[in-house]
Amino acid sequence: MSIALSDHLDPWRAVRYGLAFTGEVALSQLPRLAEIVLAREDAPPARVDYRLRFERDPEGRALVIGHVRSCLRLPCQRCLGAVEIAVDAPLRLALVKTDQLAGELPDDIDPCVVAGDSLDLAALIEDELLLAIPAVPRHGDGLCQPPEPVQARASSRSPERSASASESGLDPSAEKPHPFAVLAGIRGVDKA
Ligand SMILES: [Zn+2]
């Protein structure tokens, strides 16, 4: 069974009837996620697979159980290039009507507070994916390098050529790359 994800679902009814939903949602329907995912020029936008089941546990709690899965193209925090991050997040949430009831749940059950009779399934799927993304997405160790600072290349140049390096905004004397090193180089040229 599948529904359009823009539709709001009555989760209490879904629990009563033990409904299950399986399908795909386009990234364009998940605006908070789309904001951090890099667009691909050569491929269609990423899609998210979801599988959700509504049921009651032996204690009588209303649950939504399932998983969300996608492959997201994110900016690598080391090389700043694109890195494909596979996300496959199981979810198990207790549906409750108030924050107070959420606080009364056992520690190992996460709440999903639904004040009325309407649950935004797309928002729920998006929340779970956002939680599953690594805090610092990056390529595996040794697979990429930080971008080489411009000043580091200039430091190997001979003093005779330093003037031309300075003119292009590079400070040949800078041991460590530093934003102000570029400024210092430009000022040196002005004095000369
Ligand atoms: Zn990288």
Side-chain angles (χ1 to χ4, degrees):
M1 181 169 182
S2 181
I3 56 161
L5 276 176
S6 54
D7 291 347
H8 286 244
L9 170 85
D10 180 342
W12 315 112
R13 182 175 171 278
V15 168
R16 198 176 321 129
Y17 292 104
L19 299 184
F21 303 93
T22 301
E24 268 191 349
V25 54
L27 205 60
S28 56
Q29 282 188 265
L30 309 174
R32 287 172 294 154
L33 195 63
E35 203 168 276
I36 59 170
V37 170
L38 300 174
R40 318 172 193 217
E41 293 89 24
D42 56 337
R47 302 188 69 84
V48 176
D49 290 315
Y50 63 88
R51 187 182 295 269
L52 301 172
R53 188 172 83 244
F54 290 80
E55 64 180 42
R56 215 167 270 289
D57 73 4
E59 282 74 42
R61 285 184 288 254
L63 300 180
V64 52
I65 298 168
H67 73 247
V68 291
R69 185 161 45 198
S70 188
C71 188
L72 303 172
R73 195 172 160 89
L74 299 169
C76 169
Q77 299 302 293
R78 188 186 295 117
C79 71
L80 308 180
V83 56
E84 303 270 351
I85 301 283
V87 177
D88 190 349
L91 72 94
R92 182 183 174 87
L93 302 170
L95 298 157
V96 291
K97 294 195 173 181
T98 64
D99 288 332
Q100 189 186 340
L101 288 169
E104 292 169 4
L105 289 170
D107 288 342
D108 59 337
I109 303 182
D110 290 323
C112 175
V113 179
V114 185
D117 290 332
S118 178
L119 174 64
D120 185 342
L121 274 189
L124 183 146
I125 289 167
E126 189 172 33
D127 284 344
E128 294 302 310
L129 276 171
L130 287 167
L131 286 170
I133 290 175
V136 183
R138 57 188 181 193
H139 295 105
D141 287 343
L143 295 181
C144 69
Q145 302 292 326
E148 189 182 348
V150 182
Q151 289 89 345
R153 284 200 297 271
S155 65
S156 61
R157 296 190 180 187
S158 63
E160 286 76 23
R161 298 187 60 189
S162 66
S164 61
S166 295
E167 278 160 20
S168 59
L170 305 175
D171 184 349
S173 65
E175 286 294 320
K176 282 188 225 169
H178 189 282
F180 296 123
V182 177
L183 274 180
I186 294 167
R187 289 204 187 105
V189 172
D190 288 343
K191 279 178 202 161

